[in-house]
Structure formats: structure tokens, C-alpha cells
Coordinates of all heavy atoms in Angstrom, one line a residue:
P1 N 0.8 -1.3 0.0 CA 0.1 0.0 0.0 C 0.8 1.3 0.0 O 0.5 2.3 -0.6 CB -0.8 -0.1 1.2 CG -0.9 -1.5 1.5 CD 0.5 -2.1 1.2
E2 N 1.9 1.3 0.7 CA 2.7 2.5 0.7 C 3.5 2.7 -0.6 O 3.5 3.9 -1.0 CB 3.9 2.3 1.8 CG 3.4 2.2 3.2 CD 2.5 3.3 3.7 OE1 2.8 4.5 3.3 OE2 1.5 3.2 4.4
V3 N 3.9 1.7 -1.3 CA 4.6 1.9 -2.6 C 3.5 2.4 -3.5 O 3.8 3.3 -4.3 CB 5.2 0.6 -3.1 CG1 5.7 0.7 -4.5 CG2 6.4 0.2 -2.1
L4 N 2.3 1.8 -3.5 CA 1.3 2.2 -4.5 C 0.9 3.7 -4.1 O 0.5 4.4 -5.1 CB 0.1 1.3 -4.4 CG 0.3 -0.1 -4.9 CD1 -1.0 -0.9 -4.7 CD2 0.6 0.0 -6.4
R5 N 0.8 4.0 -2.9 CA 0.6 5.5 -2.5 C 1.5 6.3 -3.1 O 1.1 7.5 -3.6 CB 0.4 5.7 -1.0 CG 0.0 6.9 -0.6 CD -0.2 7.0 0.9 NE -1.2 6.1 1.4 CZ -1.0 5.1 2.1 NH1 0.3 4.8 2.5 NH2 -1.9 4.2 2.6
L6 N 2.9 6.1 -3.1 CA 3.9 6.9 -3.7 C 3.8 6.9 -5.2 O 3.9 8.0 -5.8 CB 5.2 6.4 -3.2 CG 5.6 6.5 -1.7 CD1 6.9 6.0 -1.5 CD2 5.6 8.0 -1.4
V7 N 3.5 5.7 -5.8 CA 3.2 5.8 -7.3 C 2.0 6.6 -7.6 O 2.1 7.4 -8.7 CB 3.1 4.3 -7.8 CG1 2.5 4.2 -9.2 CG2 4.3 3.5 -7.6
R8 N 0.9 6.5 -6.9 CA -0.2 7.3 -7.2 C 0.0 8.9 -7.0 O -0.6 9.7 -7.7 CB -1.4 6.9 -6.4 CG -1.9 5.5 -6.8 CD -3.1 5.0 -6.0 NE -3.6 3.7 -6.4 CZ -4.4 3.0 -5.9 NH1 -5.2 3.4 -4.9 NH2 -4.8 1.8 -6.4
R9 N 0.9 9.2 -6.1 CA 1.2 10.6 -6.1 C 2.0 11.1 -7.3 O 1.7 12.2 -7.8 CB 2.1 10.8 -4.8 CG 1.4 10.8 -3.4 CD 2.3 11.1 -2.3 NE 1.7 11.0 -1.0 CZ 2.2 11.2 0.2 NH1 3.5 11.5 0.2 NH2 1.5 11.1 1.3
L10 N 2.9 10.3 -7.8 CA 3.5 10.7 -9.0 C 2.7 10.7 -10.1 O 2.8 11.6 -11.0 CB 4.7 9.7 -9.2 CG 5.5 9.9 -10.5 CD1 6.2 11.2 -10.5 CD2 6.5 8.7 -10.6
V11 N 1.8 9.8 -10.2 CA 0.9 9.6 -11.4 C -0.1 10.8 -11.2 O -0.5 11.4 -12.3 CB 0.1 8.3 -11.4 CG1 -0.9 8.3 -12.5 CG2 1.1 7.1 -11.6
A12 N -0.6 11.1 -10.1 CA -1.6 12.3 -9.9 C -0.9 13.6 -10.3 O -1.5 14.4 -10.9 CB -1.9 12.3 -8.4
Y13 N 0.4 13.7 -10.0 CA 1.1 15.0 -10.5 C 1.2 15.0 -11.9 O 0.9 16.1 -12.6 CB 2.6 15.0 -9.9 CG 3.3 16.2 -10.5 CD1 3.2 17.4 -10.1 CD2 4.4 15.9 -11.4 CE1 3.9 18.5 -10.5 CE2 5.1 16.9 -11.9 CZ 4.8 18.2 -11.5 OH 5.6 19.2 -12.0
E14 N 1.3 13.8 -12.6 CA 1.4 13.8 -14.1 C -0.1 14.1 -14.7 O -0.1 14.8 -15.7 CB 1.8 12.5 -14.5 CG 2.0 12.4 -16.0 CD 3.1 13.2 -16.7 OE1 3.9 13.7 -15.9 OE2 3.0 13.5 -17.9
R15 N -1.1 13.6 -13.9 CA -2.4 13.9 -14.4 C -2.7 15.5 -14.4 O -3.3 16.0 -15.3 CB -3.4 13.3 -13.5 CG -3.7 11.8 -13.8 CD -4.9 11.3 -13.1 NE -5.1 9.8 -13.4 CZ -4.7 8.8 -12.5 NH1 -4.0 9.2 -11.4 NH2 -4.9 7.6 -12.8
R16 N -2.3 16.1 -13.3 CA -2.5 17.5 -13.2 C -1.7 18.3 -14.2 O -2.2 19.1 -14.9 CB -2.1 18.0 -11.9 CG -3.1 17.5 -10.7 CD -2.8 18.3 -9.4 NE -1.5 18.1 -8.9 CZ -1.0 17.1 -8.1 NH1 -2.0 16.2 -7.7 NH2 0.2 17.0 -7.7
R17 N -0.4 17.8 -14.5 CA 0.4 18.4 -15.4 C 0.0 18.3 -16.8 O -0.1 19.3 -17.6 CB 1.9 17.8 -15.2 CG 3.0 18.7 -15.9 CD 4.3 18.1 -15.3 NE 4.6 16.9 -16.1 CZ 5.2 16.7 -17.2 NH1 5.6 17.8 -17.9 NH2 5.4 15.5 -17.8
A18 N -0.4 17.1 -17.2 CA -0.9 16.9 -18.5 C -2.2 17.6 -18.9 O -2.5 18.2 -19.8 CB -1.0 15.4 -18.8
G19 N -3.1 17.5 -17.7 CA -4.4 18.2 -18.0 C -4.2 19.7 -18.0 O -4.9 20.3 -18.9
A20 N -3.3 20.2 -17.2 CA -3.1 21.8 -17.4 C -2.5 22.1 -18.8 O -2.9 23.1 -19.4 CB -2.1 22.2 -16.3
F21 N -1.6 21.3 -19.3 CA -1.0 21.5 -20.6 C -2.1 21.4 -21.8 O -2.0 22.2 -22.7 CB 0.1 20.5 -20.8 CG 0.9 20.8 -22.1 CD1 1.9 21.8 -22.1 CD2 0.6 20.1 -23.3 CE1 2.5 22.0 -23.3 CE2 1.3 20.4 -24.4 CZ 2.3 21.3 -24.5
L22 N -2.9 20.5 -21.5 CA -4.0 20.3 -22.7 C -5.2 21.2 -22.4 O -6.1 21.2 -23.3 CB -4.4 18.8 -22.7 CG -3.3 17.8 -23.2 CD1 -3.8 16.4 -23.0 CD2 -2.8 18.1 -24.5
G23 N -5.3 21.8 -21.3 CA -6.4 22.7 -21.0 C -7.6 22.0 -20.5 O -8.7 22.2 -21.0
G24 N -7.5 21.1 -19.6 CA -8.5 20.3 -19.0 C -8.1 19.7 -17.7 O -7.1 19.9 -17.2
T25 N -8.9 18.7 -17.3 CA -8.5 17.8 -16.2 C -8.6 16.4 -16.6 O -9.4 16.0 -17.5 CB -9.5 18.0 -15.0 OG1 -10.8 17.8 -15.4 CG2 -9.4 19.5 -14.5
I26 N -7.8 15.6 -16.0 CA -7.8 14.1 -16.2 C -8.3 13.5 -14.9 O -7.7 13.5 -13.9 CB -6.4 13.5 -16.5 CG1 -5.8 14.3 -17.7 CG2 -6.4 12.0 -16.8 CD1 -4.4 13.9 -18.2
P27 N -9.7 12.9 -14.9 CA -10.1 12.3 -13.7 C -9.3 11.0 -13.3 O -8.6 10.4 -14.2 CB -11.5 12.0 -14.1 CG -11.5 11.8 -15.6 CD -10.4 12.8 -16.1
E28 N -9.4 10.7 -12.1 CA -8.9 9.4 -11.6 C -10.0 8.7 -10.9 O -10.9 9.3 -10.4 CB -7.7 9.6 -10.6 CG -8.2 10.4 -9.3 CD -7.0 10.6 -8.4 OE1 -5.8 10.9 -8.8 OE2 -7.2 10.5 -7.2
A29 N -9.8 7.3 -11.1 CA -10.9 6.4 -10.5 C -10.2 5.3 -9.9 O -10.0 4.3 -10.5 CB -11.9 6.1 -11.6

């Protein structure tokens, strides 16, 4: 769970970064 939590933080940052670059948001589920 701890490793997956760190992975999801990195991926969440990429979602925000890519969404901001493309002019939108990338949802997570």
C-alpha cells in the first residue's frame, strides 16, 4: 500500500500536469 501510494502521487502529479497543458482535467478512479 505504501509503494502504491507513492506511485499514485507521482501519477496524480502527471495527471495535473498533462491536464493543465492540454487545457482540462484528467479524472482518476
Side-chain angles (χ1 to χ4, degrees):
E2 297 301 324
V3 173
L4 289 180
R5 187 176 296 112
L6 294 176
V7 168
R8 289 178 178 179
R9 286 183 180 177
L10 175 60
V11 175
Y13 174 74
E14 183 66 19
R15 282 194 181 94
R16 293 192 299 271
R17 198 171 69 92
F21 185 81
L22 296 174
T25 58
I26 302 176
E28 63 180 39

